[in-house]
Amino acid sequence: MNTDRTATIDRSPTTDRKTVPAVATAVLLLVEGLLLFVPLLVLGAAVDWPASLGEPAGVVLPQVAENETALRLGYLVYLAYSALFLPVALWTMATLAPGRLDSRVARLGMAFAALSTLARCLGIIRWLTTMPDLAQAWQSGGNKEAIELQYDAFNSYAGGVGELLGVSLFAAGWLLCLAKIAGIPLWLKGFTVLTAAALALPLVELLGVDAGALISVSSGTVQIWFLVTGVYVLRRRNSLG
């Protein structure tokens, strides 16, 4: 009898430690999958985001000056979404590949996740600091040629860091590492690889090719992946009891 009671006591904490992270991971994945819709709605109404990212300074900066409050709100939420990527990535690896976290692939994946988060945040910060300043200078009658030159140069560089490195290259690297080590069904493993490929599509811009709609395809695909994987983690946790 004492042995049975001891076994029961020993099993309960172990079960809790296994199931609580799974629930937290699922919640993080679902929040990450849904959170992007907030900046899409707020920034879409304020500055026609993300379509306006390719527009010249003469189009974007007046919109920024006229809708600065909405712009800051939208990009603050987008910054939170981008910062959340790191805990989402780490918790997902810990939940789907708990016995492989000391492997080289897992460590590489964690490094990709950290670099992706850093690059994303660096790219977004320009819209909370530099761009409002340029917009105010534009509206106050400053040297428009100089302002446009600064806008184009900074937007191109910071956008490349945030979108091409953060959202595309490093995030795709993390997904490929996850697909390699995760104990997930073949269909989800295949979807993870396809999502990584979709994320990498905008990298064609480094070759001078206009990514165009490829950015929307990659963004939409990864949001679906977050939601699908979040539901999978929840269903797997429930099936395990």
Side-chain angles (χ1 to χ4, degrees):
M1 294 293 294
N2 291 337
T3 303
D4 290 341
R5 283 197 298 270
T6 302
T8 302
I9 293 172
D10 289 343
R11 282 197 299 269
S12 298
T14 302
T15 302
D16 289 342
R17 285 196 295 269
K18 288 181 179 178
T19 55
V20 171
V23 173
T25 299
V27 171
L28 284 175
L29 283 163
L30 294 173
V31 169
E32 188 78 345
L34 296 172
L35 192 58
L36 186 61
F37 289 103
V38 177
L40 275 173
L41 292 173
V42 175
L43 294 175
V47 294
D48 194 27
W49 186 86
S52 61
L53 291 175
E55 295 291 341
V59 174
V60 178
L61 292 180
Q63 292 179 318
V64 172
E66 293 168 8
N67 302 282
E68 185 174 340
T69 300
L71 178 105
R72 290 187 180 279
L73 174 61
Y75 272 109
L76 281 171
V77 176
Y78 193 28
L79 183 63
Y81 163 86
S82 298
L84 188 62
F85 179 81
L86 182 57
V88 168
L90 298 184
W91 276 87
T92 301
M93 294 191 83
T95 301
L96 298 182
R100 304 289 303 278
L101 296 182
D102 290 331
S103 67
R104 291 182 179 179
V105 175
R107 291 176 181 175
L108 180 61
M110 293 177 188
F112 277 136
L115 289 171
S116 175
T117 302
L118 177 61
R120 290 164 185 256
C121 293
L122 288 175
I124 292 169
I125 285 295
R126 75 187 189 274
W127 292 103
L128 297 169
T129 55
T130 305
M131 297 309 183
D133 291 341
L134 291 178
Q136 291 301 323
W138 182 279
Q139 291 294 87
S140 63
N143 187 327
K144 287 185 167 47
E145 289 186 4
I147 295 171
E148 187 170 0
L149 181 61
Q150 293 177 64
Y151 173 86
D152 289 342
F154 198 76
N155 196 41
S156 179
Y157 176 76
V161 170
E163 297 297 326
L164 298 182
L165 294 183
V167 177
S168 293
L169 181 62
F170 295 139
W174 167 70
L175 278 174
L176 290 175
C177 291
L178 178 66
K180 175 71 174 177
I181 64 174
I184 52 179
L186 185 59
W187 67 266
L188 184 53
K189 192 178 289 283
F191 184 36
T192 302
V193 173
L194 287 175
T195 302
L199 280 177
L201 288 176
L203 291 173
V204 297
E205 288 192 353
L206 296 176
L207 302 175
V209 179
D210 184 9
L214 295 179
I215 295 175
S216 298
V217 171
S218 63
S219 298
T221 303
V222 74
Q223 295 311 117
I224 295 173
W225 183 89
F226 283 131
L227 295 174
V228 169
T229 306
V231 172
Y232 166 77
V233 171
L234 274 180
R235 289 175 63 87
R236 189 181 76 163
R237 184 261 182 185
N238 291 335
S239 68
L240 292 176

